[in-house]
Amino acid sequence: MRRFDIDRAALRGPVAVLMGGTSAEREVSLESGRAVHAALTHRLDGVLAIDAGADVLERLIAGGVAHVFIALHGRGGEDGTMQGALQTLGISYTGSGVLACALAMDKLRCKRFWQAEGIATPDFAVVDATANYDELAARLGPRLIVKPASEGSSIGITPVDNAAELRAAVALASGYDSCVLVERRVMGPEYTVAIVDGEILPSIRLETPRTFYDYEAKYQLDTTRYLCPSGLDARDERALAALAARAFESLGCSGWGRVDVMRDAASGEFAVLEVNTAPGMTSHSLVPMAARAVGIEFDDLVVRIFSASLARAARGGVAG
């Protein structure tokens, strides 16, 4: 097993884990935060667990917090908002910086950026209640997927195959975001690639009996299968790792994260769906699973992520 330790000389003050918050992913974030807090508490005394409500900055200041592990998912915690606040306060934090988090959370800008960079991602369009299924099907194909531009954990996402489903899906997604995307649905296996402190971990193949890897498949069902190793041959594994790293680095991401990718069953081509800058750390989560495949148990994974932020702070930054 691979062990990682905290450089206590790099600690400038108290440590806190931020969790919960007010996003649609609050419950998942609370579960992630509790697991991260327990892991850090095994190595450090006095680690604070803070549910990030309206008074979160006051609580950080009052506690003299110098370092934060961000276990927040979704808006307010993964979109650059919290990162900017922590940066202003001079508090070091785990994961990517302000701009990278903001880009990764905004699927529209992210996909436009990848298209400009020549990074494969499914074709898409921005839609509203007036969207015409026949026109979209002619452009993107008959199988589509509708999603809010700035949500995670597959919240508000619906696959569609006809006009009636499109109308309902756009209405659902609009309840989560004023910007709604419709994307060509890639028919084939889904993979995810975790990146931790510069190391690309083995890919995981996701298999679910549901229509797609939705919220229930991610967090609530025991029928989802996670294959690690994913079954790719060495050449394809290298290609997937390279694509994931390129997508991650193109946004300026750092510290740790996870890249979700589809593979077209017909062409064999990979296409990036999104980058998660603060992935889940629950019992069903994928980064811990990939870490275990290379001999890193959960506590050491948490310590490694946290230590990367300390190293970054020591070099004069606050993210990492």
Side-chain angles (χ1 to χ4, degrees):
M1 292 297 171
R2 298 165 62 185
R3 182 175 173 82
F4 296 87
D5 294 310
I6 296 171
D7 179 5
R8 294 171 185 274
L11 293 173
R12 296 181 287 105
V15 176
V17 178
L18 294 185
M19 65 185 81
T22 58
S23 80
E25 298 178 74
R26 172 177 170 78
E27 293 306 316
V28 178
S29 173
L30 286 170
E31 189 176 345
S32 290
R34 293 183 192 111
V36 168
H37 180 259
L40 284 177
T41 300
H42 293 158
R43 305 290 179 86
L44 291 174
D45 295 329
V47 179
L48 302 174
I50 298 178
D51 189 341
D55 63 345
V56 60
L57 300 185
E58 288 85 350
R59 293 179 67 183
L60 290 170
I61 293 169
V65 172
H67 310 280
V68 162
F69 193 114
I70 298 177
L72 294 165
H73 308 318
R75 297 185 188 186
E78 201 172 353
D79 60 0
T81 304
M82 183 59 67
Q83 289 77 8
L86 294 172
Q87 200 155 305
T88 299
L89 294 175
I91 297 173
S92 76
Y93 55 88
T94 53
S96 298
V98 177
L99 179 58
C101 287
L103 276 175
M105 192 70 192
D106 187 332
K107 295 180 178 67
L108 173 59
R109 273 78 187 178
C110 193
K111 287 174 73 67
R112 285 175 174 169
F113 184 84
W114 283 335
Q115 286 183 330
E117 290 290 303
I119 296 172
T121 189
D123 291 338
F124 70 99
V126 179
V127 296
D128 57 24
T130 66
N132 183 289
Y133 173 79
D134 291 333
E135 292 176 359
L136 290 168
R139 175 181 166 187
L140 303 175
R143 290 177 165 175
L144 306 170
I145 195 153
V146 176
K147 56 181 69 174
S150 297
E151 284 292 349
S153 291
S154 298
I155 291 171
I157 294 181
T158 310
V160 301
D161 297 297
N162 57 58
E165 290 177 350
L166 178 63
R167 286 192 296 272
V170 171
L172 174 65
S174 296
Y176 292 98
D177 200 307
S178 59
C179 180
V180 176
L181 304 183
V182 61
E183 190 176 74
R184 177 179 67 87
R185 190 169 11 143
V186 178
M187 305 307 295
E190 182 170 355
Y191 298 87
T192 194
V193 178
I195 299 173
V196 177
D197 195 20
E199 181 179 358
I200 303 173
L201 301 182
S203 66
I204 300 172
R205 177 171 171 166
L206 314 172
E207 293 186 350
T208 174
R210 297 178 68 80
T211 306
F212 74 107
Y213 187 53
D214 60 7
Y215 186 93
E216 287 75 17
K218 288 178 177 178
Y219 302 115
Q220 297 174 352
L221 301 179
D222 293 326
T223 54
T224 305
R225 296 182 66 214
Y226 304 97
L227 307 180
C228 187
S230 64
L232 294 173
D233 62 28
R235 179 179 178 181
D236 286 341
E237 183 75 19
R238 288 194 298 270
L240 177 54
L243 177 63
R246 189 178 174 205
F248 187 80
E249 293 164 3
S250 72
L251 302 180
C253 295
S254 60
W256 74 303
R258 201 190 75 230
V259 184
D260 297 337
V261 179
M262 296 295 297
R263 189 180 200 188
D264 190 284
S267 68
E269 296 297 317
F270 294 109
V272 181
L273 295 179
E274 62 180 299
V275 171
N276 299 273
T277 55
M281 294 287 275
T282 73
S283 60
H284 283 69
S285 294
L286 301 169
V287 177
M289 192 179 305
R292 283 195 299 274
V294 292
I296 305 173
E297 294 300 325
F298 188 86
D299 283 11
D300 285 294
L301 172 64
V302 171
V303 166
R304 187 179 188 186
I305 293 167
F306 180 67
S307 294
S309 69
L310 294 181
R312 174 68 177 270
R315 294 194 299 268
V318 291

Short mmCIF file of all heavy atoms in Angstrom, two decimals, residues 148-202:
data_model
loop_
_atom_site.label_atom_id
_atom_site.label_comp_id
_atom_site.label_asym_id
_atom_site.label_seq_id
_atom_site.Cartn_x
_atom_site.Cartn_y
_atom_site.Cartn_z
N PRO A 148 -28.98 20.78 -17.81
CA PRO A 148 -28.72 22.16 -17.39
C PRO A 148 -27.23 22.43 -17.51
O PRO A 148 -26.41 21.52 -17.32
CB PRO A 148 -29.19 22.20 -15.93
CG PRO A 148 -29.19 20.79 -15.48
CD PRO A 148 -29.41 19.93 -16.68
N ALA A 149 -26.86 23.66 -17.83
CA ALA A 149 -25.46 23.96 -18.12
C ALA A 149 -24.57 23.93 -16.89
O ALA A 149 -23.37 23.70 -17.01
CB ALA A 149 -25.35 25.33 -18.80
N SER A 150 -25.14 24.14 -15.70
CA SER A 150 -24.28 24.29 -14.52
C SER A 150 -24.77 23.48 -13.34
O SER A 150 -24.94 24.01 -12.23
CB SER A 150 -24.17 25.77 -14.14
OG SER A 150 -23.56 26.51 -15.16
N GLU A 151 -25.02 22.20 -13.55
CA GLU A 151 -25.32 21.30 -12.45
C GLU A 151 -24.40 20.08 -12.55
O GLU A 151 -23.82 19.81 -13.61
CB GLU A 151 -26.78 20.83 -12.49
CG GLU A 151 -27.77 21.87 -12.02
CD GLU A 151 -27.69 22.20 -10.54
OE1 GLU A 151 -26.99 21.47 -9.80
OE2 GLU A 151 -28.30 23.19 -10.13
N GLY A 152 -24.28 19.35 -11.46
CA GLY A 152 -23.48 18.14 -11.44
C GLY A 152 -24.31 16.95 -10.99
O GLY A 152 -25.52 17.05 -10.78
N SER A 153 -23.66 15.81 -10.84
CA SER A 153 -24.30 14.57 -10.36
C SER A 153 -25.47 14.14 -11.23
O SER A 153 -26.39 13.48 -10.76
CB SER A 153 -24.77 14.72 -8.90
OG SER A 153 -23.66 14.78 -8.04
N SER A 154 -25.46 14.54 -12.51
CA SER A 154 -26.52 14.19 -13.47
C SER A 154 -27.88 14.77 -13.09
O SER A 154 -28.91 14.30 -13.56
CB SER A 154 -26.63 12.67 -13.64
OG SER A 154 -25.44 12.14 -14.16
N ILE A 155 -27.90 15.77 -12.23
CA ILE A 155 -29.15 16.40 -11.82
C ILE A 155 -29.74 17.17 -12.99
O ILE A 155 -29.06 17.96 -13.65
CB ILE A 155 -28.91 17.33 -10.61
CG1 ILE A 155 -28.55 16.48 -9.37
CG2 ILE A 155 -30.12 18.21 -10.34
CD1 ILE A 155 -28.09 17.28 -8.19
N GLY A 156 -31.03 16.93 -13.26
CA GLY A 156 -31.73 17.64 -14.32
C GLY A 156 -31.45 17.13 -15.72
O GLY A 156 -31.89 17.75 -16.70
N ILE A 157 -30.75 16.00 -15.84
CA ILE A 157 -30.39 15.46 -17.16
C ILE A 157 -31.41 14.41 -17.59
O ILE A 157 -31.81 13.57 -16.80
CB ILE A 157 -28.98 14.85 -17.12
CG1 ILE A 157 -27.94 15.95 -16.87
CG2 ILE A 157 -28.67 14.10 -18.41
CD1 ILE A 157 -26.50 15.45 -16.86
N THR A 158 -31.79 14.46 -18.88
CA THR A 158 -32.77 13.53 -19.41
C THR A 158 -32.39 13.11 -20.83
O THR A 158 -32.15 13.97 -21.68
CB THR A 158 -34.18 14.15 -19.47
OG1 THR A 158 -34.50 14.75 -18.21
CG2 THR A 158 -35.22 13.11 -19.84
N PRO A 159 -32.35 11.80 -21.12
CA PRO A 159 -32.19 11.37 -22.51
C PRO A 159 -33.54 11.47 -23.23
O PRO A 159 -34.59 11.24 -22.64
CB PRO A 159 -31.76 9.90 -22.37
CG PRO A 159 -32.33 9.47 -21.06
CD PRO A 159 -32.38 10.68 -20.17
N VAL A 160 -33.50 11.86 -24.51
CA VAL A 160 -34.75 12.03 -25.26
C VAL A 160 -34.63 11.39 -26.64
O VAL A 160 -33.55 11.33 -27.23
CB VAL A 160 -35.14 13.52 -25.41
CG1 VAL A 160 -35.31 14.16 -24.05
CG2 VAL A 160 -34.11 14.27 -26.22
N ASP A 161 -35.78 10.92 -27.14
CA ASP A 161 -35.84 10.28 -28.46
C ASP A 161 -36.98 10.81 -29.32
O ASP A 161 -37.18 10.32 -30.44
CB ASP A 161 -35.99 8.76 -28.31
CG ASP A 161 -34.80 8.13 -27.61
OD1 ASP A 161 -33.70 8.21 -28.15
OD2 ASP A 161 -35.00 7.57 -26.52
N ASN A 162 -37.75 11.78 -28.82
CA ASN A 162 -38.85 12.32 -29.61
C ASN A 162 -39.22 13.71 -29.11
O ASN A 162 -38.69 14.18 -28.09
CB ASN A 162 -40.07 11.38 -29.58
CG ASN A 162 -40.55 11.12 -28.16
OD1 ASN A 162 -40.89 12.04 -27.42
ND2 ASN A 162 -40.57 9.84 -27.77
N ALA A 163 -40.14 14.36 -29.82
CA ALA A 163 -40.49 15.75 -29.52
C ALA A 163 -41.12 15.91 -28.14
O ALA A 163 -40.83 16.87 -27.42
CB ALA A 163 -41.43 16.28 -30.60
N ALA A 164 -41.99 14.98 -27.76
CA ALA A 164 -42.65 15.09 -26.46
C ALA A 164 -41.63 14.99 -25.33
O ALA A 164 -41.69 15.74 -24.35
CB ALA A 164 -43.72 14.00 -26.33
N GLU A 165 -40.71 14.05 -25.46
CA GLU A 165 -39.66 13.90 -24.44
C GLU A 165 -38.78 15.14 -24.39
O GLU A 165 -38.33 15.55 -23.31
CB GLU A 165 -38.83 12.66 -24.73
CG GLU A 165 -39.57 11.34 -24.50
CD GLU A 165 -38.73 10.13 -24.86
OE1 GLU A 165 -37.64 10.30 -25.46
OE2 GLU A 165 -39.16 9.01 -24.55
N LEU A 166 -38.50 15.74 -25.55
CA LEU A 166 -37.66 16.95 -25.58
C LEU A 166 -38.31 18.08 -24.80
O LEU A 166 -37.65 18.74 -23.99
CB LEU A 166 -37.40 17.38 -27.02
CG LEU A 166 -36.58 18.66 -27.19
CD1 LEU A 166 -35.18 18.48 -26.62
CD2 LEU A 166 -36.52 19.09 -28.64
N ARG A 167 -39.61 18.31 -25.03
CA ARG A 167 -40.30 19.39 -24.31
C ARG A 167 -40.24 19.18 -22.80
O ARG A 167 -39.95 20.11 -22.04
CB ARG A 167 -41.76 19.47 -24.78
CG ARG A 167 -41.93 20.08 -26.17
CD ARG A 167 -43.39 20.41 -26.44
NE ARG A 167 -44.23 19.20 -26.46
CZ ARG A 167 -44.44 18.47 -27.54
NH1 ARG A 167 -43.86 18.79 -28.70
NH2 ARG A 167 -45.24 17.41 -27.50
N ALA A 168 -40.49 17.98 -22.37
CA ALA A 168 -40.48 17.69 -20.93
C ALA A 168 -39.07 17.83 -20.36
O ALA A 168 -38.88 18.34 -19.25
CB ALA A 168 -41.01 16.28 -20.68
N ALA A 169 -38.08 17.38 -21.12
CA ALA A 169 -36.68 17.44 -20.65
C ALA A 169 -36.19 18.88 -20.53
O ALA A 169 -35.50 19.24 -19.57
CB ALA A 169 -35.79 16.65 -21.60
N VAL A 170 -36.55 19.71 -21.51
CA VAL A 170 -36.14 21.12 -21.46
C VAL A 170 -36.81 21.80 -20.27
O VAL A 170 -36.18 22.60 -19.56
CB VAL A 170 -36.48 21.83 -22.78
CG1 VAL A 170 -36.27 23.34 -22.65
CG2 VAL A 170 -35.62 21.27 -23.92
N ALA A 171 -38.07 21.48 -20.03
CA ALA A 171 -38.77 22.07 -18.88
C ALA A 171 -38.11 21.67 -17.57
O ALA A 171 -37.93 22.50 -16.67
CB ALA A 171 -40.24 21.63 -18.89
N LEU A 172 -37.72 20.40 -17.46
CA LEU A 172 -37.04 19.94 -16.25
C LEU A 172 -35.70 20.64 -16.07
O LEU A 172 -35.41 21.17 -14.98
CB LEU A 172 -36.82 18.42 -16.32
CG LEU A 172 -36.00 17.81 -15.18
CD1 LEU A 172 -36.74 17.96 -13.84
CD2 LEU A 172 -35.70 16.34 -15.45
N ALA A 173 -34.88 20.66 -17.10
CA ALA A 173 -33.55 21.27 -17.01
C ALA A 173 -33.65 22.76 -16.72
O ALA A 173 -32.82 23.32 -15.98
CB ALA A 173 -32.78 21.02 -18.29
N SER A 174 -34.67 23.42 -17.26
CA SER A 174 -34.84 24.86 -17.05
C SER A 174 -35.13 25.18 -15.59
O SER A 174 -34.91 26.31 -15.15
CB SER A 174 -35.98 25.39 -17.93
OG SER A 174 -35.66 25.24 -19.30
N GLY A 175 -35.63 24.20 -14.85
CA GLY A 175 -35.86 24.40 -13.43
C GLY A 175 -34.58 24.48 -12.63
O GLY A 175 -34.58 24.93 -11.48
N TYR A 176 -33.48 24.04 -13.22
CA TYR A 176 -32.19 24.06 -12.54
C TYR A 176 -31.26 25.15 -13.06
O TYR A 176 -30.34 25.57 -12.34
CB TYR A 176 -31.48 22.71 -12.69
CG TYR A 176 -32.17 21.59 -11.95
CD1 TYR A 176 -33.04 20.72 -12.61
CD2 TYR A 176 -31.97 21.40 -10.59
CE1 TYR A 176 -33.67 19.68 -11.94
CE2 TYR A 176 -32.60 20.38 -9.90
CZ TYR A 176 -33.45 19.52 -10.58
OH TYR A 176 -34.08 18.50 -9.91
N ASP A 177 -31.48 25.59 -14.30
CA ASP A 177 -30.56 26.55 -14.90
C ASP A 177 -31.27 27.30 -16.02
O ASP A 177 -32.06 26.70 -16.77
CB ASP A 177 -29.33 25.83 -15.45
CG ASP A 177 -28.14 26.75 -15.64
OD1 ASP A 177 -28.29 27.78 -16.31
OD2 ASP A 177 -27.05 26.44 -15.14
N SER A 178 -30.96 28.56 -16.17
CA SER A 178 -31.54 29.33 -17.27
C SER A 178 -30.93 28.96 -18.62
O SER A 178 -31.50 29.25 -19.66
CB SER A 178 -31.35 30.83 -17.02
OG SER A 178 -29.97 31.14 -16.91
N CYS A 179 -29.75 28.33 -18.58
CA CYS A 179 -29.09 27.87 -19.80
C CYS A 179 -29.22 26.35 -19.89
O CYS A 179 -28.80 25.64 -18.98
CB CYS A 179 -27.62 28.27 -19.81
SG CYS A 179 -26.72 27.75 -21.29
N VAL A 180 -29.81 25.86 -20.98
CA VAL A 180 -30.03 24.43 -21.17
C VAL A 180 -29.35 23.98 -22.45
O VAL A 180 -29.47 24.63 -23.50
CB VAL A 180 -31.54 24.12 -21.24
CG1 VAL A 180 -31.78 22.64 -21.53
CG2 VAL A 180 -32.21 24.51 -19.92
N LEU A 181 -28.65 22.86 -22.38
CA LEU A 181 -27.97 22.30 -23.53
C LEU A 181 -28.67 21.02 -23.98
O LEU A 181 -29.17 20.26 -23.15
CB LEU A 181 -26.51 21.95 -23.20
CG LEU A 181 -25.60 23.03 -22.65
CD1 LEU A 181 -24.19 22.48 -22.47
CD2 LEU A 181 -25.58 24.24 -23.56
N VAL A 182 -28.67 20.79 -25.28
CA VAL A 182 -29.03 19.49 -25.82
C VAL A 182 -27.80 18.98 -26.55
O VAL A 182 -27.15 19.71 -27.29
CB VAL A 182 -30.27 19.55 -26.74
CG1 VAL A 182 -30.04 20.45 -27.95
CG2 VAL A 182 -30.66 18.15 -27.19
N GLU A 183 -27.47 17.74 -26.31
CA GLU A 183 -26.20 17.17 -26.76
C GLU A 183 -26.46 15.88 -27.52
O GLU A 183 -27.41 15.14 -27.22
CB GLU A 183 -25.35 16.88 -25.51
CG GLU A 183 -23.92 16.52 -25.73
CD GLU A 183 -23.22 16.38 -24.38
OE1 GLU A 183 -23.45 15.38 -23.68
OE2 GLU A 183 -22.45 17.29 -24.02
N ARG A 184 -25.64 15.61 -28.51
CA ARG A 184 -25.71 14.31 -29.18
C ARG A 184 -25.42 13.23 -28.16
O ARG A 184 -24.41 13.29 -27.45
CB ARG A 184 -24.68 14.25 -30.32
CG ARG A 184 -24.64 12.90 -31.03
CD ARG A 184 -23.62 12.90 -32.16
NE ARG A 184 -22.25 13.03 -31.67
CZ ARG A 184 -21.48 12.00 -31.30
NH1 ARG A 184 -21.97 10.76 -31.32
NH2 ARG A 184 -20.25 12.21 -30.89
N ARG A 185 -26.30 12.26 -28.05
CA ARG A 185 -26.10 11.19 -27.09
C ARG A 185 -25.16 10.14 -27.69
O ARG A 185 -25.48 9.50 -28.70
CB ARG A 185 -27.43 10.54 -26.70
CG ARG A 185 -27.26 9.59 -25.53
CD ARG A 185 -28.52 9.08 -24.87
NE ARG A 185 -29.77 9.34 -25.52
CZ ARG A 185 -30.78 8.45 -25.52
NH1 ARG A 185 -30.64 7.27 -24.95
NH2 ARG A 185 -31.91 8.75 -26.10
N VAL A 186 -24.03 10.00 -27.10
CA VAL A 186 -23.05 9.02 -27.57
C VAL A 186 -23.50 7.65 -27.09
O VAL A 186 -23.66 7.42 -25.88
CB VAL A 186 -21.64 9.34 -27.04
CG1 VAL A 186 -20.64 8.28 -27.51
CG2 VAL A 186 -21.21 10.72 -27.51
N MET A 187 -23.67 6.74 -28.01
CA MET A 187 -24.13 5.39 -27.67
C MET A 187 -22.91 4.49 -27.53
O MET A 187 -22.24 4.17 -28.52
CB MET A 187 -25.08 4.86 -28.74
CG MET A 187 -26.28 5.77 -29.01
SD MET A 187 -27.21 6.20 -27.51
CE MET A 187 -27.83 4.58 -27.05
N GLY A 188 -22.62 4.13 -26.32
CA GLY A 188 -21.46 3.30 -26.05
C GLY A 188 -21.10 3.37 -24.58
O GLY A 188 -21.81 3.98 -23.78
N PRO A 189 -20.00 2.77 -24.19
CA PRO A 189 -19.62 2.73 -22.77
C PRO A 189 -19.15 4.07 -22.24
O PRO A 189 -18.62 4.89 -22.99
CB PRO A 189 -18.49 1.69 -22.75
CG PRO A 189 -17.92 1.72 -24.13
CD PRO A 189 -19.07 2.00 -25.04
N GLU A 190 -19.36 4.27 -20.94
CA GLU A 190 -18.89 5.48 -20.26
C GLU A 190 -17.70 5.13 -19.37
O GLU A 190 -17.68 4.09 -18.71
CB GLU A 190 -20.00 6.11 -19.43
CG GLU A 190 -19.57 7.40 -18.75
CD GLU A 190 -20.71 8.17 -18.11
OE1 GLU A 190 -21.88 7.75 -18.29
OE2 GLU A 190 -20.44 9.19 -17.45
N TYR A 191 -16.72 6.03 -19.37
CA TYR A 191 -15.51 5.86 -18.57
C TYR A 191 -15.28 7.12 -17.73
O TYR A 191 -15.76 8.20 -18.08
CB TYR A 191 -14.29 5.63 -19.45
CG TYR A 191 -14.36 4.39 -20.30
CD1 TYR A 191 -14.97 4.42 -21.56
CD2 TYR A 191 -13.81 3.19 -19.87
CE1 TYR A 191 -15.05 3.28 -22.35
CE2 TYR A 191 -13.87 2.05 -20.65
CZ TYR A 191 -14.49 2.09 -21.88
OH TYR A 191 -14.58 0.96 -22.66
N THR A 192 -14.54 6.96 -16.67
CA THR A 192 -14.11 8.12 -15.92
C THR A 192 -12.65 7.95 -15.55
O THR A 192 -12.18 6.82 -15.30
CB THR A 192 -14.98 8.33 -14.66
OG1 THR A 192 -14.74 9.63 -14.13
CG2 THR A 192 -14.71 7.29 -13.59
N VAL A 193 -11.92 9.05 -15.54
CA VAL A 193 -10.49 9.04 -15.26
C VAL A 193 -10.20 10.05 -14.16
O VAL A 193 -10.51 11.24 -14.30
CB VAL A 193 -9.67 9.40 -16.52
CG1 VAL A 193 -8.17 9.42 -16.19
CG2 VAL A 193 -9.95 8.41 -17.64
N ALA A 194 -9.64 9.58 -13.06
CA ALA A 194 -9.27 10.46 -11.95
C ALA A 194 -7.82 10.91 -12.10
O ALA A 194 -6.96 10.15 -12.55
CB ALA A 194 -9.45 9.72 -10.62
N ILE A 195 -7.59 12.16 -11.72
CA ILE A 195 -6.24 12.74 -11.73
C ILE A 195 -5.99 13.30 -10.34
O ILE A 195 -6.77 14.12 -9.84
CB ILE A 195 -6.12 13.84 -12.80
CG1 ILE A 195 -6.39 13.25 -14.19
CG2 ILE A 195 -4.74 14.48 -12.74
CD1 ILE A 195 -6.45 14.27 -15.30
N VAL A 196 -4.93 12.84 -9.71
CA VAL A 196 -4.62 13.27 -8.34
C VAL A 196 -3.15 13.67 -8.26
O VAL A 196 -2.26 12.85 -8.51
CB VAL A 196 -4.92 12.16 -7.31
CG1 VAL A 196 -4.53 12.61 -5.91
CG2 VAL A 196 -6.39 11.77 -7.35
N ASP A 197 -2.92 14.93 -7.95
CA ASP A 197 -1.55 15.43 -7.77
C ASP A 197 -0.67 15.07 -8.97
O ASP A 197 0.47 14.65 -8.81
CB ASP A 197 -0.97 14.87 -6.47
CG ASP A 197 0.29 15.60 -6.02
OD1 ASP A 197 0.50 16.74 -6.47
OD2 ASP A 197 1.06 15.02 -5.23
N GLY A 198 -1.21 15.21 -10.16
CA GLY A 198 -0.46 14.97 -11.38
C GLY A 198 -0.44 13.53 -11.86
O GLY A 198 0.02 13.26 -12.98
N GLU A 199 -0.93 12.61 -11.05
CA GLU A 199 -0.95 11.19 -11.43
C GLU A 199 -2.30 10.84 -12.05
O GLU A 199 -3.35 11.10 -11.47
CB GLU A 199 -0.71 10.30 -10.21
CG GLU A 199 -0.71 8.81 -10.55
CD GLU A 199 -0.44 7.91 -9.35
OE1 GLU A 199 -0.22 8.44 -8.24
OE2 GLU A 199 -0.48 6.67 -9.52
N ILE A 200 -2.26 10.25 -13.23
CA ILE A 200 -3.48 9.79 -13.89
C ILE A 200 -3.77 8.37 -13.42
O ILE A 200 -2.97 7.46 -13.67
CB ILE A 200 -3.33 9.84 -15.42
CG1 ILE A 200 -2.98 11.26 -15.86
CG2 ILE A 200 -4.62 9.38 -16.09
CD1 ILE A 200 -2.65 11.38 -17.33
N LEU A 201 -4.87 8.19 -12.74
CA LEU A 201 -5.21 6.88 -12.19
C LEU A 201 -5.89 6.01 -13.24
O LEU A 201 -6.36 6.51 -14.27
CB LEU A 201 -6.11 7.06 -10.97
CG LEU A 201 -5.52 7.90 -9.82
CD1 LEU A 201 -6.49 7.97 -8.65
CD2 LEU A 201 -4.18 7.36 -9.37
N PRO A 202 -5.96 4.70 -13.02
CA PRO A 202 -6.59 3.81 -14.00
C PRO A 202 -8.04 4.20 -14.26
O PRO A 202 -8.77 4.62 -13.36
CB PRO A 202 -6.51 2.43 -13.33
CG PRO A 202 -5.39 2.54 -12.35
CD PRO A 202 -5.41 3.96 -11.86
#
